[in-house]
Amino acid sequence: MEALLLLILLSVTELSRAQNTTVFQGMAGRSLRVFCPYNSLKHWGRRKAWCRQLGEEGLCQQVVSTHPSWLLSFLKRWNGSTAITDDALGGTLTITLRNLQAHDAGLYQCQSLRGSEADTLRKVLVEVLADPLDYQDPGDLWIPEESENFEGTQVEHSISRSLSDEESPFPPTSILFLLACIFLSKLLAASALWAAAWHGQKRRRWLQTSGLDCGHDSGYQLQTLTGLRDT
């Protein structure tokens, strides 16, 4: 009875782990893009990273991370053949594996960094398939051993593109955010200049008005004194 319960527990654990892992398949020699969606409000202002998991329960060794300045996280950063870019407004972390090779197959994680801690955004299993245009033996399919435990999970295929067709390192929402910041800064600067000019003009008018009043009072006093002396 205990053995049966243990078997059921292991099956449920394995099923849960499989459901939380997305399989991405790409052709050898081509580019593979991995997308990791996340809650942009929850992970606002955090750096993101792409790491390779050493074993099923081992540590996750960082491969590449976004720009140290969160405001520049939309810039694409490379480490060898791996690139990362973060669309902070859209809530999508994009990983590009260029010139995919057999040794790139394995378990990975998209992470959100918080000091010395890291939150897992998505677990990814990368599988490298042989190019069908090249003659390969049936055994030339580079799939890690872990993939046998992920049958029936979500599989996403890569979109093979040449380097000239690769997407711009500036995600659309990040461009809009940057343009909005520039427009807002210019608007604030113009408002400050207008307020300073208006305040200066108002002060000059006040000084002119005060000068006229003082001149009018002095003349009136002079006339009064002259009239008294004549009397």
Side-chain angles (χ1 to χ4, degrees):
M1 186 64 180
E2 293 180 357
L4 180 60
L5 292 176
L6 180 60
L7 181 60
I8 295 175
L9 180 60
L10 291 176
S11 301
V12 171
T13 302
E14 193 67 28
L15 178 61
S16 176
R17 187 168 64 90
Q19 291 177 347
N20 293 330
T21 302
T22 304
V23 179
F24 283 82
Q25 295 178 341
M27 294 294 178
R30 302 185 185 182
S31 295
L32 173 66
R33 281 191 175 86
V34 177
F35 300 97
C36 299
Y38 62 89
N39 188 328
S40 58
L41 294 178
K42 179 180 178 181
H43 300 280
W44 184 264
R46 298 183 184 179
R47 293 183 63 189
K48 310 300 187 303
W50 170 255
C51 64
R52 183 162 189 168
Q53 191 168 333
L54 305 177
E56 296 184 8
E57 302 297 336
L59 297 176
C60 202
Q61 184 176 3
Q62 187 175 118
V63 178
V64 65
S65 61
T66 55
H67 198 278
S69 176
W70 170 79
L71 293 176
L72 300 178
S73 61
F74 59 88
L75 294 175
K76 183 177 288 188
R77 297 192 72 200
W78 288 89
N79 182 14
S81 59
T82 305
I84 186 172
T85 181
D86 183 24
D87 184 357
L89 289 181
T92 302
L93 185 67
T94 304
I95 312 298
T96 302
L97 303 176
R98 189 171 56 180
N99 190 22
L100 203 62
Q101 299 298 322
H103 57 78
D104 294 321
L107 285 171
Y108 294 85
Q109 288 185 18
C110 293
Q111 293 184 338
S112 174
L113 306 180
R114 182 179 54 182
S116 59
E117 300 180 355
D119 296 333
T120 301
L121 302 176
R122 194 176 203 180
K123 294 182 179 180
V124 175
L125 177 65
V126 174
E127 296 180 351
V128 182
L129 309 179
D131 193 336
L133 298 180
D134 298 333
Y135 174 78
Q136 299 286 347
D137 295 332
D140 291 344
L141 176 63
W142 301 302
I143 302 178
E145 297 179 357
E146 295 91 340
S147 62
E148 298 177 358
N149 300 325
F150 296 90
E151 296 181 359
T153 58
Q154 180 182 358
V155 178
E156 298 188 18
H157 298 270
S158 64
I159 301 176
S160 301
R161 299 179 180 178
S162 61
L163 293 179
S164 59
D165 296 332
E166 287 190 354
E167 297 177 354
S168 169
F170 302 93
T173 53
S174 295
I175 293 180
L176 294 177
F177 178 71
L178 183 61
L179 292 177
C181 290
I182 295 175
F183 175 77
L184 182 60
S185 62
K186 290 186 175 181
L187 181 61
L188 292 175
S191 300
L193 291 175
W194 179 85
W198 180 81
H199 181 72
Q201 186 177 5
K202 184 178 179 181
R203 181 176 178 82
R204 284 194 299 270
R205 289 180 179 177
W206 180 81
L207 291 175
Q208 292 175 359
T209 304
S210 301
L212 291 175
D213 292 342
C214 291
H216 180 268
D217 294 341
S218 300
Y220 177 76
Q221 292 176 0
L222 181 60
Q223 291 178 0
T224 303
L225 292 173
T226 304
L228 292 174
R229 289 177 181 178
D230 294 339
T231 301

